[in-house]
Amino acid sequence: SRKSSTIGIMTMKRQLVFRKTYYTGIKGLDPEKRLEAYDTIMQYAFETPPELSTLSKDVRPVVSIILDSIEADFQRWKAKQEERGGSR
């Protein structure tokens, strides 16, 4: 089911839904590059936008797609919160 393939993590005004497709896209990378991908995703979700040009060439395309998806999820969440009269 859709619920079993995601894990929601909420922090302040940011939310990260980690989808199974993200894991699938990252798991084929070697361990060092996997860590680079996961660290970049967490930095994006909970800190500041990372500089994608500094990522290794194998990580950059995977992470770019994932970050676009995370941003779209966040924008949908934000719109729902605004419809409800503010964030929780």
Side-chain angles (χ1 to χ4, degrees):
S1 81
R2 184 173 172 97
K3 279 190 173 182
S4 65
S5 67
T6 63
I7 299 172
I9 303 170
M10 173 90 68
T11 180
M12 299 185 120
K13 294 182 182 179
R14 294 296 295 194
Q15 177 178 346
L16 172 64
V17 175
F18 202 93
R19 301 185 183 286
K20 185 177 180 181
T21 56
Y22 304 168
Y23 168 74
T24 302
I26 293 169
K27 76 178 183 177
L29 298 170
D30 67 50
E32 185 177 307
K33 291 179 180 177
R34 247 190 339 261
L35 178 60
E36 180 183 6
Y38 285 129
D39 282 350
T40 302
I41 292 164
M42 295 305 136
Q43 177 187 352
Y44 178 80
F46 303 118
E47 295 175 1
T48 59
E51 182 54 54
L52 296 182
S53 65
T54 64
L55 296 176
S56 65
K57 67 177 183 163
D58 296 331
V59 172
R60 191 177 313 132
V62 175
V63 167
S64 292
I65 292 167
I66 292 170
L67 297 186
D68 287 347
S69 177
I70 291 169
E71 184 60 28
D73 286 345
F74 176 66
Q75 292 303 323
R76 281 190 296 276
W77 175 81
K78 188 175 165 185
K80 284 182 182 181
Q81 295 305 308
E82 289 171 1
E83 288 174 9
R84 294 177 183 161
S87 63
R88 291 182 164 188

